[in-house]
Amino acid sequence: TMLDPERRVQERIVLLRGPDLEPDAQEPRLTLGRTLFQLGDTDGAIDEYRTALRFHPTVAQAHLDLGTALMAKQDWRAAMTELQEAVRLDPTLVQAHYSMGTIHYTRGNVQSAIKAYQEALRLKADFAEAHYRLGLVLKVAGREKDAAQELEAAARLDLGL
C-alpha cells in the first residue's frame, strides 16, 4: 500500500535516527538535518548539523546548512560565523555568499551586502535571485542605474529570456 508522504518522511527520520546511526556518520546526519529543516524542525536540524560538525569540522556544506538553519531562527551572528567558515573551507559555495549578502542587508550593512551578492554572481552569473537582491540593495544605496541593470537581468533569467 502507498503511504502518505508525511508518514514516509516520518518513517525515514525514524530509520535515520535509529540505533545504527553512528554519531560520526556525516552524510546521513546532514540528510537528516535537511529533512528536519524542510519539515520545520529547525532546532532538530541544528542539532544534527552540529553533531555532524563535531566529527567532521571541515565539511563546508555542513557549515552552510547550519548557517541556513540559524538564519531561519534569525540568529544572524551565529549564522554569519557558520557561513564565513563554509566560505573559508570552500570559496566556491555560491549559496553561502548569497546568504551572507542577505544577513548583511538585514543588519543594515549595505556595502557588505553588495559585495557578497556580487561574489555570488561572479561564481554563478545566471543566479536570478542574486541579481534581484543585488538590484534591491543597489537601489537602497542610491545606485539607480546599476539597480535597474540587475533587476532587468533577474527578470530575463527568471523568464528564461
Side-chain angles (χ1 to χ4, degrees):
T1 62
M2 287 290 292
L3 298 174
D4 67 88
E6 180 72 18
R7 184 165 171 207
R8 285 200 327 259
V9 169
Q10 292 300 331
E11 288 183 358
R12 182 175 180 203
I13 290 171
V14 168
L15 286 172
L16 284 170
R17 278 197 172 138
D20 296 334
L21 181 59
E22 297 296 324
D24 66 343
Q26 172 198 328
E27 199 51 48
R29 289 223 175 263
L30 294 180
T31 299
L32 176 55
R34 289 180 197 118
T35 302
L36 291 168
F37 186 69
Q38 289 170 353
L39 290 173
D41 184 358
T42 305
D43 292 328
I46 289 170
D47 289 344
E48 293 302 328
Y49 298 143
R50 286 188 170 144
T51 298
L53 284 166
R54 201 166 33 253
F55 293 97
H56 304 280
T58 61
V59 177
Q61 186 64 47
H63 287 283
L64 172 57
D65 290 347
L66 177 55
T68 301
L70 291 165
M71 285 177 70
K73 295 194 62 85
Q74 298 184 352
D75 188 345
W76 308 124
R77 179 171 286 137
M80 182 62 81
T81 298
E82 294 302 328
L83 295 169
Q84 287 171 334
E85 182 63 6
V87 166
R88 186 187 72 75
L89 292 166
D90 182 356
T92 67
L93 277 177
V94 175
Q95 191 62 42
H97 291 285
Y98 174 82
S99 294
M100 287 193 301
T102 301
I103 292 172
H104 284 307
Y105 182 65
T106 300
R107 298 181 82 188
N109 302 324
V110 173
Q111 294 308 314
S112 295
I114 290 170
K115 287 178 186 166
Y117 288 136
Q118 286 173 333
E119 181 60 15
L121 287 166
R122 186 186 71 75
L123 294 166
K124 188 175 191 290
D126 64 347
F127 190 178
E129 185 65 23
H131 281 287
Y132 177 73
R133 291 289 182 105
L134 178 57
L136 295 180
V137 176
L138 288 167
K139 189 170 177 139
V140 168
R143 294 170 54 184
E144 297 290 332
K145 184 178 177 193
D146 293 335
Q149 288 175 337
E150 293 300 328
L151 294 170
E152 286 169 15
R156 272 194 315 274
L157 289 165
D158 211 32
L159 297 172
L161 301 176

